[in-house]
Amino acid sequence: MAKFLIVEARFYDHLNDQLIAGARAAIEAVGHGHETITVPGALEIPGAVALAAETGRYDGFVAIGVVIRGETYHFEIVAGESARGLMALSMDGLAIGNGILTVENEAQAQVRADPAQKDKGGEAAKAALAMFDLKTRWG
């Protein structure tokens, strides 16, 4: 049984709860285990994944968060840099699924977070599981 770490940036509780529910369901559906930790924001997710990877305790990672466009350029920085950080870690060989929603408004986030609709948390976990399978196959 593999173990996955779900790293969440909790800001919108109701949306994060749905994303995490989808991620947990996807991981449990294939018989793997998981833990969840919370970091201050989406920019801290790649750093937390890197630190956790150094422990050797996890086989894969799922990034969870919601970034909603506001009135300033901050949205672009958070969305782009969190994705860039996760991509760099995946290029280093970590099995990561990116479930950080980057949306225009809360209504878009709700549809994407809901496991009964777009289930982006579940999709992110499935991406991490697929990358873990590849890593295991190619050793």
Side-chain angles (χ1 to χ4, degrees), residues 72-102:
T72 68
Y73 186 68
H74 185 68
F75 171 87
E76 283 82 4
I77 293 169
V78 173
E81 291 302 312
S82 61
R84 186 195 60 74
L86 292 173
M87 182 57 68
L89 292 167
S90 70
M91 297 298 291
D92 286 341
L94 297 184
I96 301 173
N98 185 350
I100 301 173
L101 303 182
T102 52

Side-chain angles (χ1 to χ4, degrees), residues 51-123:
L51 290 170
E54 290 178 5
T55 71
R57 293 175 39 199
Y58 304 101
D59 299 294
F61 304 88
V62 182
I64 296 292
V66 179
V67 182
I68 298 177
R69 184 181 299 278
E71 297 176 0
T72 68
Y73 186 68
H74 185 68
F75 171 87
E76 283 82 4
I77 293 169
V78 173
E81 291 302 312
S82 61
R84 186 195 60 74
L86 292 173
M87 182 57 68
L89 292 167
S90 70
M91 297 298 291
D92 286 341
L94 297 184
I96 301 173
N98 185 350
I100 301 173
L101 303 182
T102 52
V103 295
E104 296 292 326
N105 55 55
E106 191 169 336
Q108 290 178 349
Q110 179 59 49
V111 169
R112 286 158 178 76
D114 186 351
Q117 294 185 59
K118 297 223 180 222
D119 192 22
K120 294 301 182 178
E123 285 184 14

